[in-house]
Coordinates of all heavy atoms in Angstrom, one line a residue:
A1 N -18.5 -183.3 74.5 CA -19.7 -182.6 74.0 C -20.7 -182.7 75.2 O -21.4 -181.6 75.4 CB -20.3 -183.2 72.8
L2 N -20.8 -183.7 75.8 CA -21.8 -183.8 77.1 C -21.4 -182.8 78.1 O -22.2 -182.1 78.6 CB -21.8 -185.3 77.6 CG -22.7 -185.5 78.8 CD1 -24.2 -185.5 78.2 CD2 -22.3 -186.9 79.4
R3 N -20.1 -182.8 78.4 CA -19.6 -181.9 79.4 C -19.9 -180.4 79.0 O -20.3 -179.6 79.8 CB -18.1 -182.1 79.5 CG -17.4 -181.1 80.5 CD -15.9 -181.2 80.5 NE -15.3 -180.2 81.4 CZ -14.0 -180.1 81.5 NH1 -13.2 -181.0 80.9 NH2 -13.4 -179.2 82.3
S4 N -19.5 -180.0 77.8 CA -19.6 -178.7 77.3 C -21.1 -178.3 77.3 O -21.4 -177.1 77.8 CB -19.1 -178.6 75.9 OG -19.1 -177.2 75.4
K5 N -22.0 -179.0 76.7 CA -23.4 -178.6 76.6 C -24.0 -178.5 77.9 O -25.0 -177.7 78.1 CB -24.2 -179.6 75.7 CG -23.7 -179.5 74.2 CD -24.5 -180.6 73.4 CE -24.1 -180.5 71.9 NZ -24.6 -179.3 71.3
L6 N -23.7 -179.3 78.8 CA -24.3 -179.3 80.1 C -23.6 -178.4 81.2 O -24.0 -178.2 82.3 CB -24.5 -180.7 80.8 CG -25.3 -181.7 79.9 CD1 -25.4 -183.0 80.7 CD2 -26.8 -181.1 79.7
G7 N -22.4 -177.9 80.8 CA -21.6 -177.0 81.7 C -21.1 -177.7 82.8 O -21.1 -177.2 84.0
L8 N -20.7 -179.0 82.7 CA -20.2 -179.8 83.8 C -18.7 -179.6 84.1 O -18.0 -179.2 83.2 CB -20.4 -181.4 83.4 CG -21.8 -181.7 83.2 CD1 -21.8 -183.1 82.7 CD2 -22.7 -181.5 84.4
P9 N -18.3 -179.8 85.3 CA -16.8 -179.6 85.7 C -15.9 -180.5 84.9 O -14.7 -180.3 84.7 CB -16.8 -179.8 87.1 CG -18.1 -179.7 87.7 CD -19.0 -180.1 86.5
D10 N -16.3 -181.7 84.5 CA -15.5 -182.7 83.9 C -16.4 -183.7 83.2 O -17.6 -183.8 83.4 CB -14.7 -183.5 85.0 CG -13.5 -184.2 84.5 OD1 -13.3 -184.3 83.3 OD2 -12.7 -184.7 85.4
D11 N -15.7 -184.6 82.4 CA -16.5 -185.7 81.8 C -16.2 -187.0 82.5 O -16.5 -188.1 81.9 CB -16.3 -185.8 80.2 CG -14.9 -185.7 79.8 OD1 -13.9 -185.8 80.6 OD2 -14.6 -185.4 78.6
R12 N -15.4 -186.9 83.5 CA -15.3 -188.2 84.4 C -16.5 -188.2 85.3 O -16.5 -187.7 86.5 CB -14.0 -188.1 85.1 CG -13.7 -189.4 85.9 CD -12.3 -189.4 86.5 NE -11.9 -190.8 87.0 CZ -12.0 -191.2 88.2 NH1 -12.5 -190.4 89.1 NH2 -11.6 -192.5 88.4
L13 N -17.6 -188.8 84.8 CA -18.8 -188.7 85.6 C -19.7 -189.9 85.4 O -19.4 -190.8 84.5 CB -19.6 -187.5 85.1 CG -20.0 -187.4 83.6 CD1 -21.3 -188.0 83.3 CD2 -19.9 -186.0 83.1
W14 N -20.5 -190.2 86.3 CA -21.5 -191.2 86.3 C -22.9 -190.6 86.3 O -23.2 -189.7 87.0 CB -21.3 -192.2 87.5 CG -20.2 -193.0 87.3 CD1 -20.1 -194.4 87.0 CD2 -18.8 -192.8 87.5 NE1 -18.9 -194.9 86.8 CE2 -18.0 -193.9 87.1 CE3 -18.0 -191.6 87.8 CZ2 -16.6 -194.0 87.3 CZ3 -16.6 -191.7 88.0 CH2 -15.9 -192.8 87.6
I15 N -23.8 -191.3 85.4 CA -25.1 -190.7 85.3 C -26.1 -191.5 86.0 O -26.3 -192.7 85.9 CB -25.4 -190.7 83.7 CG1 -24.4 -189.9 83.0 CG2 -26.9 -190.1 83.5 CD1 -24.4 -190.1 81.4
N16 N -26.9 -190.8 86.8 CA -28.1 -191.4 87.6 C -27.6 -192.5 88.6 O -28.4 -193.2 89.2 CB -29.1 -192.0 86.7 CG -29.8 -190.9 85.9 OD1 -29.9 -189.9 86.3 ND2 -30.2 -191.4 84.7
V17 N -26.3 -192.5 89.0 CA -25.7 -193.4 90.0 C -24.6 -192.6 90.7 O -24.0 -191.7 90.1 CB -25.1 -194.7 89.4 CG1 -26.3 -195.6 88.9 CG2 -24.1 -194.4 88.3
N18 N -24.4 -193.0 91.9 CA -23.2 -192.3 92.7 C -22.1 -193.4 92.8 O -22.2 -194.3 93.4 CB -23.7 -192.0 94.0 CG -22.7 -191.2 94.9 OD1 -21.6 -191.2 94.6 ND2 -23.1 -190.5 96.0
R19 N -21.0 -193.0 92.1 CA -19.9 -193.8 92.2 C -18.7 -193.1 92.9 O -17.5 -193.4 92.7 CB -19.4 -194.2 90.8 CG -20.4 -195.1 90.0 CD -20.5 -196.5 90.6 NE -21.3 -197.4 89.9 CZ -22.6 -197.6 90.1 NH1 -23.2 -196.9 91.2 NH2 -23.3 -198.3 89.3
H20 N -18.9 -192.1 93.7 CA -17.9 -191.3 94.4 C -17.1 -192.2 95.3 O -17.7 -193.0 96.1 CB -18.5 -190.2 95.3 CG -19.0 -189.0 94.4 ND1 -19.8 -188.0 94.9 CD2 -18.8 -188.7 93.1 CE1 -20.1 -187.1 93.9 NE2 -19.4 -187.5 92.9
V21 N -15.8 -192.1 95.3 CA -14.9 -192.8 96.2 C -14.4 -191.7 97.2 O -13.6 -190.9 96.8 CB -13.8 -193.6 95.4 CG1 -12.9 -194.4 96.3 CG2 -14.3 -194.3 94.3
T22 N -14.8 -191.8 98.3 CA -14.6 -190.8 99.3 C -14.0 -191.4 100.7 O -14.1 -192.6 100.9 CB -15.7 -189.9 99.6 OG1 -16.9 -190.8 100.1 CG2 -16.2 -189.3 98.3
G23 N -13.6 -190.5 101.6 CA -13.3 -190.8 103.0 C -12.2 -191.8 103.0 O -11.2 -191.9 102.3
A24 N -12.4 -192.7 104.1 CA -11.4 -193.8 104.3 C -11.2 -194.7 103.2 O -10.2 -195.2 102.9 CB -11.8 -194.5 105.6
I25 N -12.3 -195.0 102.5 CA -12.2 -195.9 101.3 C -11.3 -195.3 100.2 O -10.5 -195.9 99.6 CB -13.5 -196.4 100.8 CG1 -14.2 -197.4 101.9 CG2 -13.5 -197.0 99.4 CD1 -15.5 -197.9 101.4
R26 N -11.5 -194.0 100.0 CA -10.8 -193.2 99.0 C -9.3 -193.3 99.4 O -8.4 -193.5 98.5 CB -11.2 -191.8 98.9 CG -10.4 -191.0 97.8 CD -10.4 -191.5 96.4 NE -9.7 -190.7 95.6 CZ -10.3 -189.7 94.8 NH1 -11.6 -189.6 94.9 NH2 -9.6 -189.0 94.0
A27 N -9.0 -193.1 100.8 CA -7.6 -193.1 101.1 C -7.0 -194.5 100.8 O -5.8 -194.5 100.4 CB -7.5 -192.9 102.7
K28 N -7.7 -195.6 101.1 CA -7.2 -196.9 100.8 C -6.9 -197.0 99.3 O -6.0 -197.6 98.8 CB -8.1 -198.0 101.2 CG -7.7 -199.4 101.0 CD -6.3 -199.7 101.6 CE -6.0 -201.1 101.4 NZ -4.7 -201.4 102.0
Y29 N -8.0 -196.6 98.5 CA -8.0 -196.6 97.0 C -6.8 -196.0 96.5 O -6.1 -196.6 95.6 CB -9.3 -196.1 96.5 CG -9.5 -196.2 95.0 CD1 -9.7 -197.4 94.3 CD2 -9.3 -195.0 94.3 CE1 -10.0 -197.4 93.0 CE2 -9.6 -195.0 92.9 CZ -9.8 -196.2 92.2 OH -10.0 -196.2 90.8
D30 N -6.6 -194.7 96.9 CA -5.5 -194.0 96.4 C -4.1 -194.6 96.8 O -3.1 -194.6 96.1 CB -5.4 -192.6 97.0 CG -6.5 -191.7 96.3 OD1 -7.0 -192.1 95.2 OD2 -6.9 -190.6 96.8
G31 N -4.0 -195.2 98.0 CA -2.9 -195.9 98.5 C -2.5 -197.0 97.7 O -1.4 -197.5 97.6
L32 N -3.5 -197.6 97.0 CA -3.3 -198.8 96.1 C -3.0 -198.3 94.7 O -3.0 -199.1 93.7 CB -4.5 -199.7 96.1 CG -4.7 -200.4 97.5 CD1 -6.1 -201.1 97.4 CD2 -3.7 -201.5 97.7
G33 N -2.8 -197.1 94.5 CA -2.6 -196.5 93.2 C -3.8 -196.8 92.2 O -3.5 -196.9 91.0
C34 N -5.0 -196.7 92.6 CA -6.2 -196.9 91.9 C -6.2 -198.3 91.3 O -7.0 -198.5 90.3 CB -6.3 -195.9 90.8 SG -6.3 -194.2 91.4
S35 N -5.4 -199.3 91.7 CA -5.3 -200.6 91.1 C -6.7 -201.4 91.3 O -6.8 -202.4 90.4 CB -4.2 -201.4 91.7 OG -4.4 -201.5 93.1
P36 N -7.6 -201.2 92.2 CA -8.9 -201.8 92.2 C -9.7 -201.6 90.9 O -10.7 -202.3 90.7 CB -9.6 -201.4 93.4 CG -8.4 -201.0 94.4 CD -7.4 -200.4 93.4
G37 N -9.3 -200.6 90.1 CA -10.1 -200.3 89.0 C -11.2 -199.3 89.3 O -11.3 -198.7 90.4
L38 N -12.0 -199.0 88.2 CA -13.2 -198.0 88.4 C -14.2 -198.6 89.3 O -14.4 -199.7 89.6 CB -13.8 -197.8 87.0 CG -12.9 -197.1 86.0 CD1 -13.7 -196.9 84.7 CD2 -12.3 -195.8 86.5
P39 N -14.8 -197.7 90.1 CA -15.8 -198.1 91.1 C -17.1 -198.6 90.2 O -17.4 -198.1 89.3 CB -16.2 -196.8 91.8 CG -15.8 -195.7 90.9 CD -14.6 -196.2 90.2

């Protein structure tokens, strides 16, 4: 409902904080199969 009402691309989101996993850290994270858990 949050996604639909706000017109968001997805409901995999963080509110008022930046938890993006990008760049070289994302490459390592993906290489580990996301095993470190959520950011």
Side-chain angles (χ1 to χ4, degrees):
L2 182 70
R3 171 187 179 180
S4 177
K5 288 177 179 292
L6 298 182
L8 302 173
D10 197 352
D11 46 12
R12 189 174 193 262
L13 57 95
W14 281 260
I15 303 171
N16 293 330
V17 292
N18 185 340
R19 297 289 186 265
H20 285 167
V21 186
T22 60
I25 288 183
R26 177 61 178 265
K28 179 63 178 179
Y29 180 75
D30 284 347
L32 293 168
C34 305
S35 61
L38 297 178

